[in-house]
Amino acid sequence: MADQRSVLQDYDRYISGLFAPAADALRSARGEMLRASMPEINVSASEGKLLHLLARAIGAERILEIGTLGGYSTIWLARALPPQGKLISLEIDARYAEVARRNLKRANLAEKVQVRIGPALESLSQLEAEDEGPFDLVFIDADKDGYVNYLRKAMPLLREGGLVLGDNALPDAVLDSAAESGTKRYNAEVSARPDLISILVPVLRTRGIDGLLISVKQAQAPKA
Ligand code: SAH
Ligand code: DHB
Ligand code: MG
C-alpha cells in the first residue's frame, strides 16, 4: 500500500514538474498556510492546473468557489480570468479568509477576487438576493456534507454550458458500498440530474488518489 502511494506521488511529481511547477505566488501561498498552521488540504498543483485549464477552456469570466482555505485553488482559478473577470470565494472561517486575502493580494488578484465570510449556504442565498449570477463555473470544495445543498443552491446561479466542479469525489468510502460519505451522496445526486452531463475524473494528490467530478449544465430535455 505504501509502495503504491509513493508510485502515485512519483506520477504526480512528473506531471506537475512538466505542467504545474511550483512557482511564485502559489509557492508563497502554501508557505503562508503552513505558517498559519492551516490544514494541508488544498488541491494539488496538478489539480490546480486542471481547474485553471477548465476555466480557460470555457472562457470563464465569472467564477464561484465554495471553500477558500488559504486561497491556493482560488489563485489557480482566478489566473484563468480575463482582465474584467471576477471570482467570488465563500469561506466560513474568518482567520482562513484573512490568510487567503493576503495571498491573493500578493498574487495581484485582490481586485478580481472577493472572499465572503460566512456559512456557504447563507452566502449563496445572499448571492441570489443580490442577483450576482450567472456564473460560468462553480467549484465546490467546502464541508463535504454540504455539497448536495450547495449544488442545489448554485445551479440557478450557473449559466447553461457552465461547469460545476466537485473536489474530493473519490473518497475511500467509494470502495465500500455500505460506507456513507458526503461526496458519495454528491456523486449520486449529480449522476441522477438530467440537467448535468458529468464524469468523475481521478486526480493525484500528495496523499494518493482522489477525484474531481466535472459537470456541464445543459438545458433540461423538453418534455415529450
Ligand atoms: N479550495 C481550497 C481548499 C478548501 S478546504 C483549496 O483547494 O485551496 C475546505 C474549506 O471549506 C475550509 O477552509 C473550511 O473552513 C471551509 N468550510 C467548511 N465548512 C464551510 C461552510 N459551511 N461554509 C463555507 N466554508 C466552509
Ligand atoms: C481533505 C482534502 C480536501 O481537498 C478537502 O477539501 C477537505 C479535506 C483531506 O484530505 O482531509
Ligand atoms: Mg478539497
Side-chain angles (χ1 to χ4, degrees), residues 21 25 188 212 222:
L212 182 70

Side-chain angles (χ1 to χ4, degrees), residues 5-199:
R5 184 192 278 184
S6 89
V7 170
L8 291 174
Q9 282 174 3
D10 289 345
Y11 280 126
D12 195 41
R13 258 192 289 277
Y14 174 76
I15 295 172
S16 48
L18 279 178
F19 298 107
D24 57 281
L26 283 162
R27 193 206 296 262
S28 345
R30 291 277 300 113
E32 289 294 322
M33 290 169 61
L34 287 176
R35 262 191 291 288
S37 304
M38 292 165 75
E40 293 182 61
I41 56 175
N42 52 273
V43 296
S44 59
S46 56
E47 189 185 352
K49 182 67 179 284
L50 176 59
L51 299 175
H52 177 89
L53 185 146
L54 289 168
R56 284 270 174 133
I58 62 159
E61 298 191 4
R62 297 182 52 82
I63 296 176
L64 174 62
E65 176 178 69
I66 306 176
T68 317
L69 195 67
Y72 182 83
S73 56
T74 321
I75 294 173
W76 277 110
L77 283 166
R79 282 184 168 171
L81 291 167
Q84 75 281 11
K86 184 175 179 187
L87 185 155
I88 298 179
S89 188
L90 311 181
E91 173 55 52
I92 198 169
D93 187 310
R95 199 175 65 87
Y96 292 175
E98 270 322 303
V99 175
R101 283 174 181 149
R102 276 206 306 279
N103 285 334
L104 289 157
K105 196 164 178 195
R106 194 178 301 98
N108 288 317
L109 291 167
E111 299 212 324
K112 284 181 180 167
V113 181
Q114 185 186 97
V115 180
R116 292 197 180 201
I117 299 168
L121 218 48
E122 286 176 23
S123 301
L124 284 164
S125 296
Q126 278 166 17
L127 292 177
E128 193 183 359
E130 292 166 21
D131 219 7
E132 273 286 359
F135 291 93
D136 303 301
L137 187 157
V138 180
F139 176 48
I140 305 179
D141 194 21
D143 55 307
K144 309 310 159 198
D145 285 333
Y147 273 38
V148 168
N149 286 329
Y150 301 150
L151 176 72
R152 290 177 184 167
K153 273 268 196 208
M155 280 300 282
L157 297 170
L158 183 69
R159 73 159 162 93
E160 243 171 58
L163 293 177
V164 192
L165 308 176
D167 192 33
N168 309 111
L170 269 187
D172 292 344
V174 301
L175 300 177
D176 174 358
S177 60
E180 285 286 326
S181 107
T183 44
K184 251 175 101 173
R185 281 190 294 278
Y186 176 77
N187 296 343
E189 164 95 5
V190 165
S191 72
R193 279 189 78 120
D195 54 354
L196 291 176
I197 172 163
S198 308
I199 189 65

